Amino acid sequence: ITKLKIENFKSHQNTELSTGALTLLSGVNSSGKTSVIQSLLLLRQSFKKGRLQAGLDLNTPLCDIGKGIDALYRFTDKNEIISFTIEVDLDQEYCFRFNVNGKYDDTFLPMLDNLSLEGQIIDLPIFTNNFQYLSAARWAGIDSYPLDSYAVETEKQLSLNYGQGELVAHFLDYYGEKREFEIKSELLLHPDAESKKLLAQTIAWEQEISPRLTLVPFKQGDKVTIEYGYKGAGINQPTKNLQAKNIGFGISYSLSIIVALLSAEPGSVIIIENPEAHLHPKGQSKLAELIALAAESGIQVIVETHSDHVFNGVRKAVAKKRIKIEDVKMHYFELDDSNTSMHTDINLSESGRVLEYKKGLFDQFDDDLDVLLGL
């Protein structure tokens, strides 16, 4: 996907957004970042429910918008049509238009055009199994994870509902040691991993967040459990049989992200909200590095973040030539005086420097430091 156009949806009157191998969405709260992601989620959930040919299903299982009045841009001038346009390589464009007129209290908006969902359009990753969505409300896995054989073993999905990543334990249990899921991209291979297998690579990347961490997924009745532990150092014995609730949320919150990035095939689309949740700054930076490496391996990653460490981690990846500068698109969102979403493109130099800094773009540390220094 090279461009998204959103018209008359929530706070977006007319938004045109360039997207790359790695697209970073940042900005103030409630400025339209999540709505950009929801434009893709709505299309996917309507398609997966077999309803997109007829229209747009506003609720479940990926996101909940409510009713037509909740979806419609509030200040539209008699143009009560919501449209999502996806531009892909070779300048191919797909436009989805939905009528809200007279449908304010409805949860389903009819399609305006007789758009054929055949051929190339259904090969878009948002409609296939080459897609993962991981929301800010990820599964903490405090006790155990659910089991779903079809979703994991046929559709290869990490989530059932709202991008929780609740199937990650089942996914790792089923694919973790399989040869077909060995990491093929040299960029993604962690040098300290015991093998190229998905489970070993996942553990190695998790150890960047919590050193010496180990994990073992296993089925337990109709659930899947992950047993955590830590390798011993020197003469110290290893620690075993730790529950997720006793090792910190950062590990379980990052687990589904790491598995999604390592297991995705080139051409896949992965959407991640707030990868920084519950992570130490170093862990956030390392996760940003992995995201950049996955994007450079041919996976399209769209990230919404409020973290300067994720932002700087991507900049560092550009500076270290881990990802080509032309593969990175960054956007800063805010609301104008009419409460309409607007965005500014953030451009980087080859060394990762921000070329034209936007006020509010991860500058709070500098503002606070100025006050502390009396400047």
Side-chain angles (χ1 to χ4, degrees):
I1 300 173
T2 55
K3 187 175 292 184
L4 291 175
K5 300 176 185 176
I6 304 170
E7 296 183 31
N8 290 328
F9 178 57
K10 296 177 71 175
S11 61
H12 294 273
Q13 181 181 25
N14 190 349
T15 296
E16 189 169 311
L17 201 71
S18 60
T19 55
L22 173 53
T23 304
L24 207 67
L25 310 177
S26 65
V28 299
N29 294 105
S30 196
S31 59
K33 303 183 299 299
T34 299
S35 300
V36 171
I37 290 172
Q38 287 173 338
S39 69
L40 297 176
L41 298 181
L42 285 170
L43 293 175
R44 179 175 173 84
Q45 76 181 13
S46 301
F47 178 83
K48 296 297 284 186
K49 292 164 84 170
R51 301 175 183 178
L52 185 57
Q53 188 78 57
L56 195 68
D57 205 317
L58 295 178
N59 303 302
T60 72
L62 296 179
C63 64
D64 289 335
I65 303 302
K67 301 177 181 179
I69 191 64
D70 302 306
L72 183 65
Y73 173 68
R74 294 298 178 93
F75 307 106
T76 182
D77 184 18
K78 297 182 180 180
N79 177 18
E80 298 186 333
I81 298 171
I82 292 174
S83 72
F84 304 137
T85 303
I86 298 174
E87 183 181 292
V88 297
D89 292 334
L90 304 177
D91 295 325
Q92 182 68 51
E93 194 173 84
Y94 303 104
C95 183
F96 302 85
R97 302 196 309 148
F98 308 96
N99 184 26
V100 192
N101 189 17
K103 303 292 181 181
Y104 310 125
D105 292 325
D106 292 0
T107 62
F108 184 83
L109 305 177
M111 178 88 79
L112 269 178
D113 309 303
N114 186 22
L115 186 64
S116 175
L117 295 179
E118 298 178 354
Q120 290 181 320
I121 193 169
I122 62 171
D123 291 331
L124 289 173
I126 63 167
F127 298 138
T128 72
N129 294 338
N130 292 324
F131 175 91
Q132 301 286 355
Y133 165 54
L134 297 169
S135 73
R138 293 188 289 282
W139 192 274
I142 291 177
D143 296 314
S144 59
Y145 295 79
L147 191 71
D148 192 305
S149 297
Y150 183 79
V152 170
E153 298 168 23
T154 300
E155 296 187 321
K156 299 180 180 177
Q157 291 299 294
L158 288 165
S159 301
L160 286 172
N161 300 306
Y162 306 109
Q164 295 178 92
E166 70 271 37
L167 299 178
V168 64
H170 185 181
F171 197 98
L172 274 177
D173 178 68
Y174 189 77
Y175 293 114
E177 299 289 347
K178 287 187 182 295
R179 192 181 189 91
E180 66 180 283
F181 268 76
E182 287 186 352
I183 310 307
K184 299 176 180 63
S185 169
E186 293 295 326
L187 289 174
L188 294 174
L189 281 175
H190 196 290
D192 297 334
E194 294 179 357
S195 73
K196 293 183 178 181
K197 290 187 168 60
L198 177 61
L199 180 58
Q201 290 289 322
T202 297
I203 292 171
W205 280 102
E206 279 281 24
Q207 288 173 352
E208 294 286 359
I209 294 168
S210 186
R212 301 188 308 281
L213 179 80
T214 62
L215 62 92
V216 180
F218 58 93
K219 289 182 181 177
Q220 200 170 43
D222 62 349
K223 302 285 185 180
V224 187
T225 299
I226 294 181
E227 178 185 295
Y228 292 93
Y230 287 91
K231 293 180 178 179
I235 62 171
N236 297 306
Q237 295 297 311
T239 304
K240 298 181 179 180
N241 304 318
L242 295 178
Q243 298 181 53
K245 61 186 176 183
N246 292 323
I247 63 153
F249 282 139
I251 301 302
S252 52
Y253 262 63
S254 60
L255 182 61
S256 56
I257 295 175
I258 291 172
V259 172
L261 295 169
L262 293 177
S263 64
E265 296 180 5
S268 299
V269 169
I270 300 176
I271 297 175
I272 306 170
E273 293 176 350
N274 303 119
E276 65 270 14
H278 299 291
L279 289 181
H280 182 275
K282 181 180 178 181
Q284 295 179 39
S285 182
K286 292 302 294 187
L287 200 54
E289 178 184 345
L290 179 59
I291 288 170
L293 292 172
E296 196 63 8
S297 299
I299 302 159
Q300 184 163 31
V301 189
I302 300 172
V303 177
E304 177 191 359
T305 184
H306 291 285
S307 168
D308 51 348
H309 302 295
V310 171
F311 176 66
N312 291 333
V314 172
R315 293 172 58 199
K316 189 167 67 173
V318 170
K320 294 171 65 177
K321 312 301 180 187
R322 297 296 187 93
I323 185 170
K324 294 189 288 293
I325 190 170
E326 59 266 26
D327 289 337
V328 177
K329 303 294 181 183
M330 293 181 166
H331 305 284
Y332 179 81
F333 282 81
E334 55 192 333
L335 296 177
D336 65 13
D337 292 339
S338 66
N339 297 318
T340 298
S341 289
M342 53 185 295
H343 73 277
T344 303
D345 295 344
I346 305 301
N347 298 309
L348 302 178
S349 70
E350 294 285 349
S351 62
R353 288 183 59 251
V354 177
L355 295 179
E356 296 177 2
Y357 228 99
K358 173 70 178 176
K359 177 64 179 173
L361 177 68
F362 301 115
D363 54 10
Q364 192 60 46
F365 177 83
D366 293 331
D367 291 349
D368 291 344
L369 191 60
D370 287 346
V371 173
L372 292 171
L373 294 175
L375 300 177

